[in-house]
Amino acid sequence: MDLKISPNKALKRLEKRLIEIDSHNFDPYSWKEITKNELQEIFGVSDSKHLQISALRFTTPLPSEKLSALNKGKEQAKQFLNSYIDLIKEYSAIEQENYSESEKLLKRKILDLKGEITHLNSEKKALFNTQEKLKEADIKKSSLIAKLEKNTVQLTNLTLKKIFDLIQNLPMKHVIYLIGIISSLVVSCFLLGQKWERIVKSNEKVELKQNNNYLISENEMLSDSISYLKTEIKRKEKSNTTAHKAQLRNKVSIVMFNTLDKGISIKFENVSKNHNKISSHGTSIHPNEFAKLDLNIANYKWIARKFIDYKKSAKTENSNYKESIIRIDSTDRIKFIKID
């Protein structure tokens, strides 16, 4: 069933028409025209409900039967309207239930994804803190290297005057020996300082480069993960909405009205594939009452049997009362069957 207006508006209009039936100034002709037009607006022109209202009779040529005909027409009109109202309420409840289930499932998925994003953000923050600590360590090491360079420069700035000032009071033998030792120490310190400086700088550069590459890689992975999670949320929202609409499109509602004075049982057999029985669905209907079944879109063979005594016994007559094939197109959402 496909309503052309919202269920709430449709119910208000039909309930208003229902109240008008018992009003003291009830005009059958005007009421029928207004009700037919509103049924077409609610269910569409292709639906047969407005034809049921057109078939109602509120008068008769016999003067003595006019009041009886009017009351009978009113009663039938009430039955029709009440059946339409029940149908819309059931349709609205099913729609709300399906929407609620899909919405709950989607909310759970979104909460799970939000939790994953929060966890990834925490890891990203921890990596950022690690990066800051590495930067601080790099500054300290740079300061140490500068200090070593400064000390090395101090050694290379030694002059002969300074050396002579230190050794001017020493004996000549000791002076020559000391000069040799100092010269060796100066040269050794100078060479060792340069070598140490090259080793320290080389190691620090390699370590810093490795740490920077690691942090860049981790940031790229986090960005890719967040983008993937956002894409998954949008895809799942779209998938749930599409699946819900597809499920509704694959259903058709069969509405039946029993005009007999006896109850009946009715069964539907799916004959869409080679006219072989695939599945069956059935229900029972009391006299002058409606019944409804929701079936998958297919062609069905329906079979009706009368109850022997619907008030006392659930047994049906051995022979079928009526059977026929009901054709259903892919665009149909509701089919009406009148059993008389």
Side-chain angles (χ1 to χ4, degrees):
M1 182 175 68
D2 184 17
L3 296 181
K4 306 302 180 182
I5 62 175
S6 67
N8 289 335
K9 288 183 178 180
L11 289 173
K12 287 181 179 179
R13 291 188 180 186
L14 295 182
E15 288 171 351
K16 184 178 180 180
R17 301 285 83 78
L18 188 62
I19 294 173
E20 289 175 351
I21 294 175
D22 292 326
S23 63
H24 66 280
N25 57 347
F26 175 68
D27 183 359
Y29 177 78
S30 299
W31 182 89
K32 282 174 63 174
E33 293 300 318
I34 294 173
T35 305
K36 284 191 301 181
N37 292 335
E38 290 193 340
L39 288 174
Q40 289 177 351
E41 291 180 9
I42 294 171
F43 297 100
V45 179
S46 60
D47 192 86
S48 61
K49 293 180 179 58
H50 66 281
L51 299 177
Q52 293 176 327
I53 299 300
S54 297
L56 290 174
R57 295 292 179 268
F58 293 95
T59 187
T60 179
L62 300 175
S64 61
E65 299 294 330
K66 285 185 177 294
L67 181 59
S68 176
L70 178 62
N71 291 333
K72 184 178 180 181
K74 286 184 175 182
E75 188 63 29
Q76 288 179 340
K78 289 179 182 179
Q79 292 176 356
F80 283 137
L81 289 181
N82 282 323
S83 69
Y84 305 154
I85 290 171
D86 291 341
L87 189 62
I88 294 171
K89 288 180 178 179
E90 184 177 353
Y91 169 81
S92 178
I94 292 173
E95 285 286 307
Q96 186 63 35
E97 182 179 355
N98 290 337
Y99 178 78
S100 298
E101 290 299 322
S102 299
E103 186 179 27
K104 288 178 182 177
L105 179 61
L106 183 58
K107 284 183 177 179
R108 285 199 297 269
K109 295 292 184 182
I110 291 174
L111 288 175
D112 292 341
L113 292 173
K114 285 183 177 179
E116 293 180 13
I117 292 173
T118 301
H119 178 68
L120 290 173
N121 286 334
S122 299
E123 292 184 352
K124 183 178 179 181
K125 186 177 180 180
L127 289 173
F128 178 77
N129 292 335
T130 302
Q131 186 181 22
E132 291 297 320
K133 291 179 180 179
L134 289 173
K135 288 181 179 178
E136 292 177 0
D138 181 48
I139 293 172
K140 291 180 180 178
K141 290 176 182 179
S142 298
S143 176
L144 178 60
I145 291 171
K147 185 177 180 180
L148 290 172
E149 289 177 346
K150 183 178 180 181
N151 292 333
T152 303
V153 171
Q154 286 177 345
L155 290 175
T156 58
N157 286 335
L158 286 174
T159 64
L160 291 174
K161 184 178 182 300
K162 291 181 180 179
I163 294 174
F164 285 132
D165 289 340
L166 292 172
I167 64 175
Q168 61 183 347
N169 295 323
L170 293 175
M172 183 59 66
K173 182 180 179 180
H174 291 169
V175 169
I176 295 171
Y177 181 74
L178 182 59
I179 289 172
I181 293 174
I182 292 174
S183 299
S184 299
L185 287 174
V186 169
V187 172
S188 298
C189 289
F190 178 77
L191 294 175
L192 287 173
Q194 285 185 332
K195 187 175 182 179
W196 171 254
E197 181 181 356
R198 287 195 299 268
I199 293 172
V200 170
K201 286 184 176 180
S202 177
N203 291 338
E204 290 298 324
K205 287 180 179 180
V206 171
E207 185 177 354
L208 288 173
K209 186 176 180 180
Q210 290 176 347
N211 289 333
N212 285 333
N213 290 337
Y214 172 76
L215 291 173
I216 290 171
S217 176
E218 286 297 316
N219 283 331
E220 289 177 351
M221 290 176 63
L222 286 172
S223 298
D224 291 341
S225 298
I226 292 171
S227 298
Y228 172 76
L229 289 172
K230 289 180 178 179
T231 303
E232 280 297 297
I233 290 173
K234 292 180 180 179
R235 184 185 66 78
K236 289 178 180 179
E237 289 176 348
K238 183 177 180 181
S239 176
N240 288 336
T241 303
T242 304
H244 175 61
K245 291 182 178 179
Q247 184 181 10
L248 293 178
R249 285 198 300 268
N250 292 332
K251 292 291 184 180
V252 62
S253 295
I254 309 297
V255 180
M256 299 152 283
F257 179 64
N258 179 17
T259 63
L260 303 175
D261 58 354
K262 283 191 174 183
I264 62 168
S265 69
I266 184 166
K267 180 174 70 174
F268 292 85
E269 296 180 355
N270 185 332
V271 293
S272 288
K273 295 185 178 180
N274 300 325
H275 295 279
N276 294 323
K277 177 180 177 182
I278 297 174
S279 61
S280 64
H281 302 274
T283 186
S284 60
I285 315 174
H286 288 282
N288 295 316
E289 287 190 4
F290 282 87
K292 175 178 169 292
L293 282 176
D294 290 327
L295 305 174
N296 290 327
I297 291 181
N299 292 325
Y300 292 86
K301 176 182 179 182
W302 60 272
I303 303 169
R305 292 185 176 90
K306 290 182 180 179
F307 285 103
I308 295 174
D309 186 347
Y310 71 95
K311 292 182 179 180
K312 297 180 179 179
S313 175
K315 294 181 180 180
T316 57
E317 294 179 358
N318 292 331
S319 60
N320 297 340
Y321 170 68
K322 183 178 289 188
E323 65 180 62
S324 180
I325 299 291
I326 179 170
R327 306 289 181 184
I328 299 174
D329 298 325
S330 60
T331 57
D332 289 338
R333 291 295 173 265
I334 187 168
K335 284 288 186 176
F336 182 79
I337 299 174
K338 182 179 180 181
I339 304 170
D340 49 21

